[in-house]
Amino acid sequence: MKIGDLVQYVPSSESYLGGKIELGTITSISTMGNRDHRETQYHIVWHTTDNTGWWSGEVLTLARTKDSER
């Protein structure tokens, strides 16, 4: 995933039942953690809720890439 990509929040299966899809755009990327356990964090501006912030890549999936828009 890279800056400008449209992503979707992937909640746990228990919290998703009946839930809505949350979409946002990546605005910044940071690799955090220590030498043995790195984790990529993405700053997301959410379009479907009034929220922005840093999110783990483990809970995000790519909805659309910036390069695929033509």
Side-chain angles (χ1 to χ4, degrees):
M1 290 185 277
K2 59 188 178 298
I3 294 173
D5 285 350
L6 183 65
V7 293
Q8 177 179 339
Y9 173 70
V10 181
S12 67
S13 59
E14 299 87 35
S15 64
Y16 184 70
L17 298 176
K20 70 177 192 172
I21 295 172
E22 301 293 350
L23 295 172
T25 301
I26 297 173
T27 60
S28 187
I29 300 172
S30 176
T31 302
M32 302 175 155
N34 60 37
R35 181 177 51 151
D36 298 325
H37 181 51
R38 295 237 180 255
E39 180 180 6
T40 302
Q41 297 275 320
Y42 299 90
H43 188 266
I44 310 293
V45 174
W46 295 102
H47 304 292
T48 53
T49 185
D50 186 21
N51 191 7
T52 64
W54 290 94
W55 295 81
S56 167
E58 295 179 6
V59 297
L60 301 172
T61 186
L62 196 58
R64 184 176 179 137
T65 65
K66 183 179 178 182
D67 293 340
S68 67
E69 296 176 6
R70 294 189 189 263

